[in-house]
Amino acid sequence: MLERRITDWDDAYANGSNIARGDLWPEAWVKPAEAFRSALRAAGRAKLDLRYGERTRNRMDLFFPDGSAKGLVVFVHGGYWLQLDKSFWSHLAAGAVASGYAVAIPSYTLCPEIRIAGIVEEVAAAIDEASKLVDGPLNLTGHSAGGHLVSRMITTTAPLAPHVQQRIRNVVSISGVHDLRPIMATTMNERLAIDESEALSESPALLRPMANARITCWVGGGERAEFLRQSALLANIWTGLGATTAATAEPDKHHFNVIDGLADVGHALTRVLLSEERSSIAF
């Protein structure tokens, strides 16, 4: 019998220090993101820094396919609710854009200037604004803290208007943090200030999914054990609450390169995100 007990919660959620050459990120995303953004802006297929709220970081970039959009994808970035912005991730729109979808990538106010519950409100506002600009089904995806935020959008207490929530066809949470309670034991929480009440109200794994919720919890096979557990956790619990769920561990991927598939029109991650029905996954 194997028993597990975590005594170092900081290490359990530390990514860069546990990945070979982990210091390459997030800088490794900057140039491909800039190149993609520049190319679509030159082609007249990008609207940058669209405002969706009153705060300084309440802005999003919107990228369009060549021709009419089949629908809208919203990608929500990670960074433990503490760092980064929309500019690092533009290239991850490439797979969906090449598939005929518009893609919105918002920034949001970071902790400790705001609480996580406030970020949830901002992401909902960004999705609402983007949905006014693009017709068709909504597909949501996010990475790490962004996985938490997009999963939160399909709970029964999500701050989305019902007509917007009803447009959501699919959610893919990539390396998502779905239960906030363990984060309370990390030193990050000195800045996040998550308390028991907020953890209970903002953790997707502790909430009920909306009717007809459909989610894939996608994680890298080489990630920290906590991310593997957090990914399986939500799929497991929500299956029992009536959602359509899947849990996928992509082989040989770590926390930083697990999102790369979104830039590839033919990658399984892009295909799953845009699929109308649950399909088998082949790597």
Side-chain angles (χ1 to χ4, degrees):
M1 180 177 67
L2 293 176
E3 293 184 330
R4 287 193 68 221
R5 177 181 173 84
I6 296 173
T7 56
D8 187 344
W9 288 99
D10 286 328
D11 183 65
Y13 283 92
N15 289 302
S17 60
N18 286 295
I19 295 171
R21 304 195 69 191
D23 58 324
L24 294 178
W25 288 273
E27 186 65 26
W29 293 316
V30 172
K31 287 186 177 179
E34 286 179 347
F36 180 85
R37 209 161 46 243
S38 296
L40 263 70
R41 182 172 53 219
R45 292 164 49 200
K47 293 183 178 180
L48 306 180
D49 289 323
L50 297 173
R51 182 169 289 283
Y52 69 84
E54 297 302 317
R55 289 177 176 263
T56 301
R57 290 173 58 95
N58 291 168
R59 296 178 182 273
M60 63 181 172
D61 294 339
L62 186 56
F63 304 105
F64 295 92
D66 185 9
S68 299
K70 297 177 182 178
L72 173 67
V73 170
V74 180
F75 173 85
V76 181
H77 74 80
Y80 279 128
W81 310 275
L82 290 165
Q83 59 184 339
L84 305 178
D85 60 44
K86 61 184 173 61
S87 68
F88 289 84
W89 322 91
S90 306
H91 59 296
L92 298 181
V97 166
S99 300
Y101 287 78
V103 179
I105 303 181
S107 292
Y108 48 81
T109 307
L110 301 175
C111 298
E113 184 179 342
I114 195 172
R115 296 188 68 92
I116 287 177
I119 297 175
V120 170
E121 295 277 352
E122 290 191 353
V123 169
I127 294 170
D128 180 73
E129 185 62 27
S131 72
K132 296 175 184 176
L133 303 175
V134 181
D135 294 329
L138 273 167
N139 299 277
L140 309 181
T141 188
H143 176 232
S144 197
H148 158 266
L149 293 164
V150 295
S151 302
R152 181 72 177 85
M153 293 301 113
I154 55 169
T155 64
T156 56
T157 58
L160 276 176
H163 72 276
V164 176
Q165 200 175 49
Q166 288 165 11
R167 283 178 57 186
I168 298 174
R169 181 172 67 188
N170 195 22
V171 172
V172 178
S173 174
I174 307 170
S175 306
V177 180
H178 304 123
D179 181 355
L180 298 179
R181 291 173 298 179
I183 306 301
M184 294 168 60
T186 69
T187 55
M188 285 186 292
N189 205 45
E190 296 173 4
R191 290 175 289 163
L192 295 172
I194 303 168
D195 56 24
E196 188 74 10
S197 176
E198 186 171 46
L200 294 176
S201 66
E202 301 301 333
S203 295
L206 306 180
L207 302 173
R208 286 191 170 272
M210 70 179 195
N212 301 314
R214 179 169 169 245
I215 189 166
T216 295
C217 297
W218 191 287
V219 68
E223 295 211 45
R224 306 294 290 155
E226 270 297 275
F227 285 93
L228 291 163
R229 186 187 69 82
Q230 287 264 7
S231 187
L233 176 70
L234 185 64
N236 191 348
I237 291 175
W238 276 15
T239 298
L241 296 176
T244 300
T245 71
T248 298
E250 185 177 357
D252 304 318
K253 293 293 185 179
H254 57 63
H255 191 74
F256 297 134
N257 65 11
V258 68
I259 54 175
D260 290 352
L262 290 176
D264 181 353
V265 66
H267 193 278
L269 181 54
T270 297
R271 297 200 311 269
V272 166
L273 174 62
L274 302 179
S275 64
E276 296 183 20
E277 298 179 356
R278 182 66 61 216
S279 57
S280 60
I281 299 170
F283 295 108

